[in-house]
Structures are given as C-alpha cells and as structure tokens.
Amino acid sequence: MNRRLLAAALAILSLGCLLQAAWGYSHSDLSGHAAGSDDAYISYRYALNLIAGHGLVFNPGERVEGYTNLLYVLLMAPLAWLAGPERLYPLSVALNFGFAALAVIQVGSFISRRLDGFRGGLAVVLLALCPSIWVAVASGLETSLVLCLQVGIWISVEEAAEGRKNRLLLVAGLSVLLILTRADGFLMPGLAAVFLFLKGRRRAGLAIAATAAATVAGLVLWRLSYYGWPLPNTYYAKVSGTPGARIDVALEQLSLIVSTTGLLLHVFALLLLVLELARRRSSALSFPVLFFLPWVGYWIYVGGDVFYERFLLILFPMGLFAILSLVKEARPRALARLAVAVCAVQLIQIPTDPRFAYLPDHYDRWVLLGRHIGEHHPGAVLASDAVGKVPYFSGLRTIDMLGLTDVHIAHRPPNPGRAVPGHSKTDPGYVISRRPDLIATWISYSLDMEWGLVRDVYEPAGYRIRYLVNAGRDPMEPNLIDAAGLSDEEISRKVGLGYGYGVLELRTRDTTEEPGAFEGETNG
C-alpha cells in the first residue's frame, strides 16, 4: 500500500472527525446531539458508577442493563477515572478515532494483498472521506470499536479459510471481543463459522462456533445472575411491535440511508458479488458476500436504528472491496476516475444531511439542562425521555420514560402505532406514580407534554411547568427560562419561539426564586 496515500488518508480522517466532534452533530435532532450522541452518556454514566463502587448500574441500587456495549463501558471506566466526567467525551472521541484508523489501515492492507497496492491506497482514502465514519467517531458511541472488530473478523476469517497460520486464533479472539461489545455481536462470528464450513474448513468452523456459543452462554449466565434477565434491558425496550411494523420502519430507513449516505454504490457492488456467486458457485464466495444479506436482513427484522447507518457502517469497507474487485482489469487512470465518483457519492450527504450543518457556536440543550438542574435541584428525582446527558451532568437519580434503563417500561407492550426502536414503549401513569420531583420532555403549544403526559394527567397530579429550554440548533439569549411565574399564554408564546423542551416540577413547596431567564447559560 502506498504510504503517502495512507498518510494522506489518516490526515483526512483526523480532520473530518475533529470537525464533526467540534462543529457537527450525531443525530438530526441537532441541539440534543451537539456534544456527541445523547445515548453515549448512558454508557459514560455506567462507567462513572462502576468506578465509584456502585457497580454496573445506571442508578445506584438499581440493577438494570441499560446498555448494549459491555466492553465499551469497561473501556470508558479507566478513562473516567483518569479524566473525570467533564473530559470523558473528548477522550472517548480520541479512542474512537484510534479504532476507526485501525479499521481503515486493516482494510487498505487487505485490499493491497488481495488486489494491488494502488487499490489499497484508494480504499483508505475513500474510507477517510466517508462522513458516516466521522459521525461514528464523534458520537462517543461504541460504533468505531464495532467496525474495527468486524473488519478484523472479516479479514482474519478470509485468511483462516486459506490456512494462514494463527488466523483462526485471531478470529476466535476477535469474536469474543465483538460478542462482549454488542448484544448482537454473535451474528458475525456465527457467519464466520458458516463461511469456514463452506470453504471446507469444518474443524475450524466448529471451533469458532463453539467459541462464540461458550462466550454467549457465559454472558447470559452473568446477566441472569447480575441483572435477572438473559438479554440487555435495551433489547426489550427497542425490539418491540409486530415484525411487520418493524420491517416497514426499517425498509423506509434503509431506502433513506442508501440514497443519502453514499451507500448506494457499495450496496449495488455487494449485490453484484452475490449474483456472481450464484453464477460461479463456491469459487466466488468471499466473506462479504456471505455476510451482506443476513446482516441487512437482521437489521431490517429488528426495526432498523434511530442512529441511521450506525449498524450498517461495515458495508462501506466491504462495499469498497466489492467495487474494486469488480474492476480487476481497470487501469490506474480508470480506477482514479472511479474513486472520484465513489467519493462524490459519499460526500453528497454533507450539504444535505443536518448532522453536517456545521456551527462553531455549538449549543447542546441537554448538557445545559443537566448542569442547571443538578445545581438548582440537588438530590431531586428526575424522569426524562433523554437519559444520557441530563442525568450524566445533573447526577440525579433518573426514571427513563422510554424504558432503556427501566425494567417496567421495557417489558410492557409497545404503544399502538409506534414501532420506532427505543421510542415505542411508555407508561405515563407509572411515571406519575413514582412521584419524581422533575419531569423533562417535549412540550407543545397546548402545554401538553410528550409520551402521554398531557395537562389532564400532570396538573391533577400536582405538576406545573417550571423550565423551558431552547430546542433549536442555534443558541438564543437565554437558552433556559424559568417559567414558574409565566401565564399559560406566555408559555405557549415561548414554545412557539423555539423553547420546545420543558421541565415539570412537583408542587411540593413554594419556590422563592424569581422567574425569568438565567443569564450566562447560553451554551452547553
């Protein structure tokens, strides 16, 4: 592989990731995902509680597995111990960049060995110019680690099938790590075992299958003993509704992802390799061909993902391999033109995807709200539909109104007509019965709150609107308003101006604070 191309690729990747972390967003809900993904801070909170001696818990004393990334949480724990809560996000971004860079290097080296060094160099540059990878790194989620492990398994199982020394041990080790990293991490090792079987390496396939099965069994037994359930609580909260409803949602997402993130050419090339396999049978079998359709099928079955292409990120390097494999006879000049076309398709999302609506004056409403209520309501109990940054920065005991970290809501039936992963189960009666001091969620002009917390529910229960938070991308002066002394008409007017996220307060005592704006709280 050309070292100059590799150096250029790593420089481009680092700049793209830094730009995304500093000025970009991790979700189209911009002001809620400006300082990384809100969900990342769920993992950070588990890491903080672990180093504080509370165990792997979201709220001390409540054992609920509200994460799906055990290994990543364990990696965050020493970083949290070294840097503290305020610096954990940038450290996680740095770690994620390392995983992404390693994945890019692995792909370039593999394509260089399989095809040629020039194609390997083109591959690393094209991956570096993949904005979806920038988002993965900047999100603070475990996506880059998953990508790195998936790439490692793909490459090592291809080489293990050819009898390369020590590659089988590498497949086994990476499979264990992937299963510990993601709740669905067993799928790729399972397909790796099938691949080895089809390639005539039956003993090797059995070894990988046995390793994966033993790891899953051990993890399930640990979950049962520690949390009381065989699967993460997030699985019960997210995979809900009928298969038909989930599939409808996922197919709609998939069409959007393929058409807007640059995956179109990659998916088309992988489909061509599948068709070539059907024509030439086993001689055309490569691991991406075997992996592609089952993985996408699984993603569709569970209902897709609210973070768009997060679980489909592996299709970018596999798709590049497919594209470059299909043009074996092309000369360097033709390959360069092809690379420009692929790059253009990948970069088309920058002017169209709101996650790349770069703004130097970064504002994160949930960071702001978490810090404010932590300072002004110490010791309060919070209920919220956003259980990442608000609980993390406030330090408050929190009830998750969407069930990721709440057993009761996660195991109840989904609300009729809702099949969005992680947003289909709510129970306003249960939330009110817990009598939280504060309830944070979206607010409408009518002063009804989201997730069934309409005025006819929360006002008789003793709650009143206390805070309004700027829910838009751009900072306002101020970003947070104390609404305790405002009339209903004034609150509705503020909601219309962009203060679309509200906080209810339980009327247990009269407040002596003057209503109005909190000066100086402009940025998160």
Side-chain angles (χ1 to χ4, degrees):
M1 180 170 50
N2 187 300
R3 291 185 178 182
R4 290 183 179 179
L5 286 177
L6 177 59
L10 293 178
I12 292 168
L13 182 64
S14 62
L15 289 174
C17 294
L18 283 172
L19 181 64
Q20 194 65 34
W23 290 357
Y25 305 88
S26 298
H27 191 272
S28 58
D29 177 17
L30 301 183
S31 68
H33 297 268
S37 166
D38 188 63
D39 281 24
Y41 290 77
I42 299 175
S43 299
Y44 298 168
R45 177 156 159 138
Y46 273 90
L48 287 178
N49 279 327
L50 180 61
I51 62 172
H54 301 303
L56 280 168
V57 295
F58 186 75
N59 292 316
E62 298 178 14
R63 290 194 178 187
V64 184
E65 190 178 2
Y67 56 87
T68 53
N69 52 357
L70 174 61
L71 181 59
Y72 194 73
V73 171
L74 296 178
L75 289 174
M76 289 297 103
L79 296 183
W81 180 78
L82 287 170
E86 291 295 330
R87 297 184 181 88
L88 184 52
Y89 169 65
L91 282 183
S92 74
V93 171
L95 185 66
N96 287 348
F97 172 77
F99 290 133
L102 182 56
V104 168
I105 293 170
Q106 288 183 89
V107 172
S109 298
F110 177 69
I111 291 178
S112 294
R113 294 194 298 272
R114 284 301 170 99
L115 301 175
D116 59 62
F118 182 65
R119 293 170 203 249
L122 289 179
V124 296
V125 172
L126 289 173
L127 285 175
L129 286 166
C130 179
S132 293
I133 294 181
W134 306 349
V135 173
V137 169
S139 70
L141 293 165
E142 76 285 352
T143 314
S144 297
L145 172 58
V146 172
L147 176 66
C148 186
L149 293 172
Q150 287 179 325
V151 167
I153 291 174
W154 158 33
I155 293 171
S156 56
V157 77
E158 293 265 18
E159 295 177 343
E162 298 167 351
R164 290 280 299 273
K165 190 176 180 181
N166 298 326
R167 290 302 188 271
L168 188 61
L169 287 175
L170 188 56
V171 176
L174 293 173
S175 296
V176 171
L177 294 177
L178 184 59
I179 291 168
L180 293 176
T181 300
R182 284 285 313 168
D184 51 20
F186 63 90
L187 285 169
M188 194 172 208
L191 291 171
V194 172
F195 179 76
L196 290 169
F197 263 91
L198 294 175
K199 285 293 191 176
R201 299 293 305 275
R202 295 184 178 180
R203 289 186 179 180
L206 282 173
I208 297 304
T211 299
T215 305
V216 170
L219 195 54
V220 168
L221 289 174
W222 173 77
R223 284 196 184 108
L224 286 170
S225 65
Y226 196 82
Y227 293 114
W229 296 94
L231 296 173
N233 194 67
T234 49
Y235 173 85
Y236 302 105
K238 288 184 176 181
V239 183
S240 59
T242 64
R246 296 199 304 268
I247 290 170
D248 286 344
V249 170
L251 287 175
E252 184 178 350
Q253 284 186 5
L254 185 62
S255 64
L256 178 67
I257 290 167
V258 169
S259 61
T260 61
T261 65
L263 263 179
L264 180 62
L265 291 178
H266 304 73
V267 168
F268 183 67
L270 287 166
L271 286 172
L272 288 179
L273 284 188
V274 171
L275 293 175
E276 185 179 358
L277 173 65
R279 182 171 58 86
R280 294 172 53 196
R281 298 183 182 275
S282 60
S283 62
L285 179 62
S286 63
F287 187 70
V289 173
L290 178 68
F291 175 81
F292 167 55
L293 291 179
W295 182 250
V296 173
Y298 163 79
W299 185 88
I300 292 172
Y301 174 75
V302 299
D305 182 58
V306 294
F307 291 106
Y308 307 113
E309 75 277 27
R310 174 172 57 148
F311 296 144
L312 302 177
L313 207 61
I314 183 63
L315 300 185
F316 281 102
M318 286 186 170
L320 283 177
F321 172 74
I323 291 168
L324 295 171
S325 296
L326 289 168
V327 289
K328 292 179 180 177
E329 306 303 323
R331 294 183 177 181
R333 183 172 296 180
L335 284 172
R337 288 197 292 266
L338 176 63
V340 170
V342 173
C343 180
V345 172
Q346 290 182 169
L347 294 177
I348 199 171
Q349 67 183 126
I350 290 181
T352 59
D353 190 325
R355 293 177 296 176
F356 305 97
Y358 295 131
L359 189 69
D361 192 7
H362 234 200
Y363 163 65
D364 195 304
R365 65 174 180 268
W366 285 329
V367 175
L368 167 67
L369 178 59
R371 287 175 173 158
H372 178 80
I373 63 175
E375 178 183 351
H376 291 83
H377 300 269
V381 175
L382 168 71
S384 180
D385 60 352
V387 293
K389 296 166 185 173
V390 180
Y392 182 84
F393 286 102
S394 68
L396 301 182
R397 180 174 291 272
T398 303
I399 302 165
D400 182 358
M401 296 199 299
L402 298 180
L404 293 179
T405 64
D406 187 277
V407 173
H408 169 80
I409 293 177
H411 289 265
R412 63 174 276 110
N415 295 6
R418 295 191 70 94
V420 179
H423 296 75
S424 60
K425 295 183 177 183
T426 57
D427 190 343
Y430 162 77
V431 172
I432 292 291
S433 72
R434 294 279 302 268
R435 308 301 286 169
D437 302 291
L438 303 169
I439 301 177
T441 186
W442 297 93
I443 185 171
S444 68
Y445 298 105
S446 63
L447 308 193
D448 289 335
M449 308 291 279
E450 187 63 275
W451 316 116
L453 289 166
V454 296
R455 294 185 72 178
D456 291 344
V457 171
Y458 70 75
E459 285 186 344
Y463 288 90
R464 53 94 183 267
I465 297 168
R466 179 61 193 275
Y467 300 116
L468 295 174
V469 186
N470 170 22
R473 180 190 75 151
D474 299 316
M476 293 197 289
E477 186 59 45
N479 282 313
L480 188 150
I481 296 172
D482 188 337
L486 301 181
S487 67
D488 290 352
E489 292 75 16
E490 289 174 312
I491 293 174
S492 293
R493 190 160 52 250
K494 294 293 185 184
V495 172
L497 292 173
Y499 293 89
Y501 199 80
V503 179
L504 300 175
E505 182 181 38
L506 183 61
R507 291 187 231 183
T508 55
R509 64 183 185 277
D510 291 333
T511 178
T512 58
E513 295 183 21
E514 290 294 327
F518 287 90
E519 299 300 330
E521 296 192 350
T522 302
N523 294 310

